[in-house]
């Protein structure tokens, strides 16, 4: 989301909408972590384009995490009720977890990029052989 685009701040009545967006993003991102962890043993099943898309989506998601933080802070200044305050506390915790899990995805993507099929196909046979001898790669080209 470009900085030039103004943020459309929501009234506190839209708290359920934003909470749902945070919860949905957190669930999806946890699923992505699971999928990427499965690919760790076989990073060659991923190509650079796929890795790039995952990286772009989750980098953009971090921007939304920041916006959610600012939205929650704005709502806190509106003198929320006790029930709304509890909901804001929950949203804040979910958003904190979303940030952490998103950062985990980005770290995994960085790791997986090193073993993508594009990287392997770009290696010479000598490089692949050396990698195999060093134990850096469980297998050669498939």
């Amino acid at each position: 989301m470009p900085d030039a685009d103004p943020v459309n701040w929501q009234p506190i009545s839209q708290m359920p909408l934003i909470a749902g967006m945070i919860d949905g993003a957190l669930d999806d991102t946890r699923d992505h972590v699971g999928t990427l962890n499965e690919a760790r043993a076989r990073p060659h099943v991923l190509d650079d384009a796929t890795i790039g898309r995952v990286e772009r989506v989750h980098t953009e998601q971090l921007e939304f995490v920041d916006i959610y933080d600012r939205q929650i802070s704005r709502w806190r200044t509106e003198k929320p009720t006790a029930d709304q305050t509890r909901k804001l506390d929950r949203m804040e915790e979910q958003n904190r977890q979303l940030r952490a899990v998103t950062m985990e995805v980005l770290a995994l993507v960085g790791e997986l990029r090193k073993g993508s099929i594009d990287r392997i196909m770009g290696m010479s046979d000598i490089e692949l052989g050396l990698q195999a001898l060093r134990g850096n790669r469980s297998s050669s080209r498939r």
Side-chain angles (χ1 to χ4, degrees):
M1 179 173 243
D3 289 335
D5 289 343
V7 176
N8 186 14
W9 300 113
Q10 299 297 310
I12 202 162
S13 63
Q14 293 300 310
M15 193 185 310
L17 171 70
I18 303 300
M21 292 169 70
I22 293 169
D23 291 344
L26 182 55
D27 289 344
D28 290 345
T29 306
R30 285 178 175 151
D31 288 344
H32 289 145
V33 167
T35 301
L36 293 172
N37 272 322
E38 289 176 17
R40 285 174 112 175
R42 301 179 0 223
H44 59 275
V45 301
L46 299 172
D47 62 6
D48 286 345
T50 301
I51 290 170
R53 279 191 301 274
V54 171
E55 187 172 48
R56 277 190 304 280
V57 165
H58 288 86
T59 298
E60 184 177 306
Q61 181 167 286
L62 278 179
E63 294 174 22
F64 280 97
V65 168
D66 290 337
I67 291 169
Y68 297 147
D69 271 341
R70 291 173 35 213
Q71 179 67 74
I72 292 165
S73 292
R74 284 173 157 281
W75 284 334
R76 287 194 186 279
T77 65
E78 295 179 17
K79 298 182 178 136
T81 65
D83 183 53
Q84 288 172 329
T85 299
R86 281 190 298 281
K87 289 176 182 174
L88 288 171
D89 291 345
R90 180 193 169 282
M91 286 175 63
E92 201 166 55
E93 175 57 23
Q94 292 290 93
N95 201 43
R96 185 194 62 73
Q97 289 178 32
L98 178 58
R99 180 182 306 280
V101 175
T102 303
M103 294 301 294
E104 187 176 352
V105 166
L106 293 172
L108 283 166
V109 164
E111 177 185 328
L112 292 169
R113 175 175 275 119
K114 296 173 189 173
S116 73
I117 188 65
D118 296 309
R119 300 292 162 101
I120 290 172
M121 295 304 292
M123 289 181 179
S124 70
D125 289 340
I126 292 173
E127 289 173 305
L128 283 170
L130 287 172
Q131 292 253 341
L133 288 172
R134 291 184 188 135
N136 294 351
R137 180 140 351 281
S138 60
S139 62
S140 60
R141 292 184 217 186
R142 292 185 179 185

